[in-house]
Amino acid sequence: MGFLSNKISRDEVKPGDHIYSWRQAYVYAHHGIYVGDGQVNHFTRGDGQETGTGTFLDKIIVSSSNHGDNPCPNCGDRSQVGGVISSCLDCFLAGGDLYVFEYSVSPAIFLAKPRGGVCTIASSDPPEEVIYRANFLLQNGFGVYNVFKNNCEDFAIYCKTGLLVANTDVGRSGQAASMVAAASVVLSSPLRFVAGFGSLAVAGYGMYCVGRLVSDIGMRWDVSKVPVERLVTDMNDLVGMESKPEDEKMESKPEDKKTS
């Protein structure tokens, strides 16, 4: 693994590692937790779990589950499977290269990486805790997949750190943060008044880097350590609430009472 690339060989991967592989000509990466014995736990889009984004991304972002045409002899037909699943390393990579996500990097190293979703300033927990979370969520789920709010990178980062961001469905990945940072550069009104293409490029890249840095889970102030058992309980309660009719939702909310 080098400074500019997190690529590793299969012999280097260790249980508890957060790994990823690029998809669709490096448009995005698929993330998971290597739990040992050639198996990877990862969070996918699939039938019954896919929520969609309402954008063109729905046409290019797919899970790495095997389709029924040529099922893996180890994993079987995964064309109808979604949520947190366990796959062999070959199925997870889907023909791509193997990369390891870095933790406890310095801000300088973080900013030196031109793309989000490859490292974080946050520290990783011990491998046994990481594997426990990944296997617990394999059995109990990680909510409904959403490419911007609850995706495969969110799953892997939570397994590694136990950290969740407040006021979101579950978390916020580096890839999603990069998209937001890039969009803010494009839409930012101050850049329209910068003279010269070179100055515009420098200012734009600076805003992009700052946006990525402040959104990193290792830098945010609105994160907390959440036990995996509590996470699953809270998600189940939320799903139960959302499945109720609107009148029952209103009845379950405490009414404000005025005191005289």
Side-chain angles (χ1 to χ4, degrees):
M1 183 174 69
F3 174 74
L4 295 177
S5 174
N6 296 350
K7 185 177 177 180
I8 61 172
S9 68
R10 296 189 181 212
D11 294 336
E12 295 176 278
V13 67
K14 302 181 297 296
D17 276 353
H18 173 174
I19 60 176
Y20 62 96
S21 185
W22 291 103
R23 298 283 194 266
Q24 301 290 344
Y26 293 90
V27 172
Y28 76 103
H30 187 59
H31 295 247
I33 298 294
Y34 182 74
V35 296
D37 297 325
Q39 295 297 119
V40 183
N41 291 4
H42 53 122
F43 190 37
T44 69
R45 297 159 61 89
D47 292 348
Q49 289 289 328
E50 183 173 344
T51 61
T53 65
T55 70
F56 72 96
L57 291 173
D58 293 341
K59 298 180 179 180
I60 63 174
I61 298 180
V62 296
S63 77
S64 58
S65 303
N66 269 306
H67 296 285
D69 295 339
N70 188 23
C72 170
N74 297 317
C75 301
D77 180 11
R78 291 301 183 82
S79 60
Q80 303 300 314
V81 176
V84 181
I85 65 173
S86 178
S87 301
C88 69
L89 189 56
D90 285 331
C91 287
F92 173 80
L93 294 176
D97 293 323
L98 174 63
Y99 297 81
V100 65
F101 193 98
E102 292 183 278
Y103 285 80
S104 300
V105 302
S106 67
I109 296 296
F110 182 89
L111 291 175
K113 303 284 187 178
R115 293 192 63 166
V118 299
C119 64
T120 179
I121 295 170
S123 299
S124 171
D125 288 330
E128 57 270 18
E129 292 185 31
V130 176
I131 295 171
Y132 172 77
R133 292 187 189 114
N135 285 332
F136 191 89
L137 293 174
L138 175 64
Q139 299 299 322
N140 295 278
F142 193 62
V144 178
Y145 188 103
N146 182 288
V147 67
F148 295 116
K149 296 180 179 180
N150 191 31
N151 58 44
C152 58
E153 188 183 344
D154 290 319
F155 164 79
I157 289 176
Y158 172 74
C159 289
K160 288 287 284 186
T161 67
L163 297 174
L164 291 181
V165 179
N167 301 319
T168 63
D169 289 346
V170 172
R172 185 173 176 185
S173 69
Q175 292 184 97
S178 293
M179 293 179 188
V180 173
S184 68
V185 170
V186 174
L187 300 175
S188 177
S189 57
L191 291 183
R192 295 199 298 265
F193 303 101
V194 178
F197 178 78
S199 298
L200 177 64
V202 171
Y205 186 70
M207 291 182 62
Y208 168 76
C209 290
V210 170
R212 281 184 53 223
L213 182 63
V214 298
S215 298
D216 182 66
I217 199 166
M219 291 289 289
R220 298 179 64 132
W221 59 269
D222 56 343
V223 299
S224 59
K225 203 90 165 180
V226 178
V228 67
E229 296 85 358
R230 194 183 105 197
L231 170 64
V232 169
T233 299
D234 290 347
M235 287 192 301
N236 289 339
D237 289 344
L238 179 62
V239 170
M241 177 64 69
E242 291 179 344
S243 64
K244 290 182 179 180
E246 287 299 323
D247 54 346
E248 292 186 19
K249 290 182 184 179
M250 295 300 296
E251 290 176 3
S252 63
K253 295 180 180 179
E255 296 182 359
D256 295 332
K257 296 183 179 180
K258 296 182 179 180
T259 57
S260 57

